[in-house]
């Protein structure tokens, strides 16, 4: 019996080999495309479906790529020929909300936005806030340890996960973690699974920590600077002053130029760099006032508002960033992070790299936590690949981030696109240990083959 026959025998119409269904599974939001059609798509509707799929895949020695909404930016959920795609998108239910314990138990396919819409009536929210929150799944967030605009204050996904149910490559179900706030029994396998990009197990249920919705006024600042290095220095000064805004975003001159073209605006007439700050909670007015003083002292022209509509107008500038670049061509969205105090230096390095290779690198930063997204807009090669000069420039960017005490990826993951540089950051010993850990969970290499390592 073939692997397809075995899957259909147990899972019926959950299995598809239709070419039109399989075609989108060779790409994700990173722009990378394997151009190599997988064997089949399994749309899991239950934990039993996931277990059956993995048992069959292990028996036949076939690779399995777990996929949620496909919004990843590192090629982590891209499938290739000979592989099964295991979709958890249909496992999208909220199983429990405990107001007393401030937690929810959810299936991996639920969208961030849908979860928070359901939690609002309880006065609670799930704080991880990736820019793709309206279309990204909680399971995908956990698999990549996703971040977003609010991480500086509320933390990345890891800080909001208490427990998981995961299925191993051989089909065994593990329950790891706990519902309690504290818990130190044994090794922390829950933390190990978060950010593992589908290489260790398949997440089939999550117990997530919730927070009370912020109360009180929200203060938003939009500020313009003459150059990005000066603006980055102001951001570093804001965090050094002990202020933890809900959002602190920074956009350079190339970003504003692209947004002007996309929106038909003239934002860059006010300055070459845009800084967006939002403070929430009881101390929002005081925090915003201190931040405003620092911005103006640092040379910024700023406006402060507590009007929700005006605040939303300022946020719309930031949200237009990626659509504006996509309107210009194919985009490689990069993702490095440095200590917050090193923001001025990394922006200077980006400018130097752009000048050296004669390319524009529009960059937006989650300045509150030192995570930057330098973007390379390019014309693909004839085979659809990224031009060599872009990867050379990106490699210099990665090296600069590491020199400054940072990392290759702050929130997108390694996936396919950063495998070549992983050893540079980890070193030989840690790289080998991580591969050994992978082998403990997945000795046959069934899970997400070719990704990360």
């Amino acid at each position: 019996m073939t692997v397809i026959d075995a899957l259909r025998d147990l899972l019926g119409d959950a299995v598809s080999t239709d070419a039109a269904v399989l075609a989108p599974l060779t790409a994700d939001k990173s722009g990378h495309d394997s151009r190599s059609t997988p064997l089949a798509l399994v749309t899991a509707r239950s934990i039993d479906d996931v277990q059956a799929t993995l048992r069959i895949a292990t028996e036949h020695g076939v690779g399995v790529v777990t996929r949620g909404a496909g919004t990843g930016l590192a090629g982590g959920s891209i499938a290739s020929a000979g592989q099964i795609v295991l979709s958890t998108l249909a496992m999208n239910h909220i199983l429990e909300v405990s107001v007393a314990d401030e937690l929810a138990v959810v299936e991996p396919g639920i969208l961030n936005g849908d979860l928070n819409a359901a939690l609002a009536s309880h006065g609670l929210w799930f704080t991880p806030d990736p820019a793709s929150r309206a279309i990204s799944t909680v399971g995908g967030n956990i698999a990549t340890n996703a971040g977003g605009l609010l991480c500086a204050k509320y933390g990345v996904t890891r800080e909001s996960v208490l427990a998981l149910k995961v299925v191993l490559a051989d089909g065994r179900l593990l329950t790891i973690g706990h519902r309690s706030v504290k818990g130190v029994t044994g090794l922390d396998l829950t933390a190990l699974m978060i950010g593992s990009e589908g290489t260790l197990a398949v997440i089939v249920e999550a117990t997530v920590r919730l927070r009370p919705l912020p109360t009180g006024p929200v203060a938003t600042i939009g500020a313009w600077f003459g150059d990005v290095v000066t603006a980055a220095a102001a951001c570093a000064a804001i965090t050094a002053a002990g202020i933890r805004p809900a959002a602190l975003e920074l956009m350079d001159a190339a970003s504003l130029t692209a947004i002007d073209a996309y929106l038909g605006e003239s934002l860059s007439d006010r300055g070459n760099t845009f800084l967006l700050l939002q403070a929430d909670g009881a101390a929002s007015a005081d925090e915003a006032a201190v931040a405003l003083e620092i911005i103006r002292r640092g040379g910024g022209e700023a406006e402060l508002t507590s009007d929700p509509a005006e605040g939303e107008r300022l946020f719309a500038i930031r949200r237009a960033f990626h659509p504006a670049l996509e309107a210009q061509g194919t985009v490689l969205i990069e993702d490095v992070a440095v200590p917050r105090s090193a923001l001025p230096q990394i922006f200077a390095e980006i400018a130097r790299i752009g000048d050296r290779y004669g390319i524009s690198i529009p960059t937006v930063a989650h300045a509150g936590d030192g995570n930057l997204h330098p973007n390379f807009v390019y014309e693909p090669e004839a085979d659809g690949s990224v031009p060599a000069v872009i990867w050379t420039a990106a490699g210099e960017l990665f090296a600069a981030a590491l020199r400054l005490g940072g990392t290759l990826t702050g929130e997108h993951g390694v996936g396919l696109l950063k495998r070549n540089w992983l050893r540079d950051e980890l070193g030989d010993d840690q790289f080998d240990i991580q591969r050994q850990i992978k082998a403990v969970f997945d000795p046959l290499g069934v899970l997400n083959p070719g990704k990360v390592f």
Side-chain angles (χ1 to χ4, degrees):
M1 181 181 289
T2 68
V3 64
I4 300 297
D5 290 337
L7 288 170
R8 283 183 168 147
D9 187 50
L10 279 180
L11 300 171
D13 64 1
V15 182
S16 176
T17 57
D18 186 289
V21 172
L22 300 181
L25 307 179
T26 65
D28 65 3
K29 289 292 186 179
S30 70
H32 185 80
D33 193 322
S34 71
R35 299 176 183 270
S36 181
T37 306
L39 274 177
L41 169 68
V42 175
T43 301
R45 299 182 180 92
S46 67
I47 293 175
D48 287 344
D49 287 354
V50 174
Q51 291 182 282
T53 301
L54 290 177
R55 289 189 188 110
I56 291 169
T58 293
E59 180 182 345
H60 288 80
V62 174
V64 176
V65 177
T66 307
R67 187 176 175 102
T71 60
L73 293 165
S77 64
I78 288 175
S80 299
Q83 297 175 346
I84 298 166
V85 177
L86 175 59
S87 172
T88 58
L89 199 56
M91 297 173 65
N92 58 4
H93 299 96
I94 299 173
L95 304 177
E96 178 190 353
V97 175
S98 172
V99 175
D101 291 324
E102 294 185 343
L103 63 80
V105 182
V106 301
E107 291 183 325
I110 189 165
L111 302 183
N112 285 66
D114 290 348
L115 174 58
N116 275 325
L119 293 173
S121 63
H122 300 286
L124 297 168
W125 66 315
F126 178 59
T127 60
D129 186 55
S132 58
R133 63 191 181 279
I135 55 173
S136 64
T137 65
V138 171
N141 294 165
I142 295 170
T144 59
N145 193 24
L149 275 66
L150 304 182
C151 293
K153 184 170 184 177
Y154 295 107
V156 295
T157 300
R158 175 172 284 114
E159 280 73 61
S160 294
V161 178
L162 293 170
L164 296 170
K165 287 185 179 180
V166 300
V167 177
L168 300 179
D170 60 9
R172 285 179 292 165
L173 177 67
L174 286 186
T175 299
I176 54 180
H178 38 75
R179 288 172 64 100
S180 56
V181 174
K182 294 180 178 178
V184 294
T185 307
L187 300 178
D188 192 349
L189 298 185
T190 305
L192 186 61
M193 290 295 166
I194 300 167
S196 62
E197 302 185 48
T199 63
L200 302 181
V202 177
I203 296 165
V204 292
E205 185 179 293
T207 301
V208 296
R209 185 197 306 266
L210 308 177
R211 293 176 185 263
L213 283 166
T215 57
V218 173
T220 307
I221 295 175
W224 280 261
F225 287 81
D227 65 271
V228 72
V229 175
T230 302
C235 291
I238 288 170
T239 57
I243 299 171
R244 292 293 177 268
L248 182 59
E249 299 289 297
L250 189 57
M251 302 170 65
D252 67 3
S255 303
L256 288 180
T257 299
I259 290 171
D260 278 345
Y262 179 71
L263 297 179
E265 297 277 0
S266 54
L267 299 169
S268 53
D269 288 350
R270 299 187 63 178
N272 286 327
T273 301
F274 178 66
L275 184 154
L276 174 68
L277 181 149
Q278 189 167 85
D280 64 8
S284 61
D286 292 339
E287 289 182 340
V290 174
L292 188 63
E293 181 182 349
I294 292 172
I295 289 168
R296 287 173 173 165
R297 192 167 62 237
E301 173 201 330
E303 57 185 73
L304 168 64
T305 181
S306 57
D307 177 64
E310 184 62 15
E312 181 56 33
R313 184 188 68 80
L314 293 171
F315 259 87
I317 298 172
R318 167 63 178 86
R319 293 196 183 100
F321 175 74
H322 288 298
L325 295 187
E326 289 173 346
Q328 294 184 345
T330 304
V331 184
L332 175 66
I333 304 172
E334 273 311 330
D335 167 47
V336 297
V338 297
R340 291 172 298 195
S341 60
L343 277 172
Q345 294 98 308
I346 191 65
F347 269 107
E349 288 287 340
I350 293 168
R352 178 189 63 78
I353 293 167
D355 289 344
R356 178 173 182 178
Y357 293 97
I359 55 178
S360 175
I361 311 177
T363 300
V364 64
H366 305 311
D369 56 24
N371 188 192
L372 301 95
H373 297 306
N375 285 245
F376 298 83
V377 183
Y378 64 92
E379 286 296 325
E381 301 286 17
D383 63 356
S385 63
V386 179
V389 66
I390 299 296
W391 279 126
T392 301
E396 288 199 17
L397 169 68
F398 303 153
L402 295 179
R403 282 198 308 272
L404 291 168
T407 178
L408 296 170
T409 174
E411 58 187 4
H412 293 168
V414 175
L416 281 173
L417 301 189
K418 292 190 174 178
R419 294 178 304 172
N420 293 342
W421 294 273
L422 184 61
R423 192 184 290 267
D424 293 345
E425 178 169 340
L426 298 183
D428 290 341
D429 290 343
Q430 186 184 168
F431 182 85
D432 290 341
I433 288 172
Q434 293 207 14
R435 291 181 66 181
Q436 291 167 30
I437 292 171
K438 156 76 169 169
V440 169
F441 285 89
D442 182 22
L444 300 180
V446 168
L447 295 173
N448 221 0
K451 310 295 171 44
V452 184
F453 302 107

